[in-house]
Amino acid sequence: MTNISNRIISGLLEIGAIQLRPDQPFKWASGWNSPIYCDNRKTLSFPRIRKLITKNISEIIKEKYPDVEVIAGVATGAIAQGALVSDLLDLPYVYIRSSAKGHGMGNLIEGKIVAGQKVVVIEDLISTGGSSLKAVEALRKSDCDVLGMIAIFSYGFQVSKDNFTSAHCELTTLAGYGQLIEQALETGLIKENEANTLKEWRKSPQTWSK
């Protein structure tokens, strides 16, 4: 996975899906100050990166979960990516809303799902894992067998690792935060002191400030 991870990270940096600003932090919706901003929705506008991601997620699924029956995307960031993967694998597709629809049928899961089906969940980005695991919970409440989740990128917070362990959900990511720092340092995108700043942020992002 190392070579693939490096290619994914290079692609995300190249198109600006990942931006690093250790000295001018971003403000997240959560209120956290952050030296990194990741928006993997941008990959949809770049066919080469989009195809690279779709192909490698599909390869992981074929290798790890050959008996999968349904692909599920997590709203909203992974709706399109999940659909691309399901199309390549020629499998049924559903997506899970962040909350049930407030009208009509009140759906939380959009698409056709049947109790007992084996599902692999696609996510674009893992931070704490909270919203991602709500999707897993929704599928399990529908009596589906969630085989695992595959994401494009993860910040690698300890809280997310703990959350996935507690939920008994296997998580695989194409690329991670540690690899990003190493690659950014090796290519000269950041300096050593900036790499240290990025490492410190991950230890306690909720209290970090710059």
Side-chain angles (χ1 to χ4, degrees), residues 66-92:
D67 54 346
V68 60
E69 298 172 295
V70 179
I71 301 298
V74 180
T76 59
I79 291 178
Q81 190 63 62
L84 290 167
V85 169
S86 69
D87 189 57
L88 187 59
L89 295 176
D90 197 25
L91 287 171

Side-chain angles (χ1 to χ4, degrees), residues 12 17-18 28 34 36-41 43 53 57 74-79 81 121-133 149-157 160 164 171-177 180 201:
L12 296 178
I18 289 180
W28 283 7
S34 171
I36 177 175
Y37 187 76
C38 181
D39 180 6
N40 290 326
R41 293 175 182 86
T43 62
I53 290 170
I57 290 178
V74 180
T76 59
I79 291 178
Q81 190 63 62
V121 183
I122 308 301
E123 182 61 287
D124 68 323
L125 176 66
I126 303 293
S127 52
T128 64
S131 59
S132 305
L133 289 170
M149 181 180 292
I150 303 174
I152 299 172
F153 185 81
S154 172
Y155 293 112
F157 297 140
S160 69
F164 275 89
L171 173 65
T172 304
T173 56
L174 295 184
Y177 191 74
L180 168 66
W201 171 77

Side-chain angles (χ1 to χ4, degrees), residues 55-143:
K55 176 180 181 294
N56 282 283
I57 290 178
S58 300
E59 290 298 325
I60 291 170
I61 291 173
K62 287 190 286 186
E63 180 181 343
K64 298 187 72 170
Y65 309 114
D67 54 346
V68 60
E69 298 172 295
V70 179
I71 301 298
V74 180
T76 59
I79 291 178
Q81 190 63 62
L84 290 167
V85 169
S86 69
D87 189 57
L88 187 59
L89 295 176
D90 197 25
L91 287 171
Y93 176 68
V94 300
Y95 73 84
I96 302 95
R97 292 173 168 272
S98 57
S99 59
K101 190 188 297 183
H103 58 279
M105 298 296 290
N107 293 339
L108 181 57
I109 299 174
E110 297 288 3
K112 177 70 172 179
I113 200 83
V114 177
Q117 284 185 311
K118 295 178 173 59
V119 184
V120 171
V121 183
I122 308 301
E123 182 61 287
D124 68 323
L125 176 66
I126 303 293
S127 52
T128 64
S131 59
S132 305
L133 289 170
K134 284 183 181 177
V136 171
E137 182 182 0
L139 289 163
R140 287 174 173 169
K141 284 183 177 178
S142 295
D143 296 321

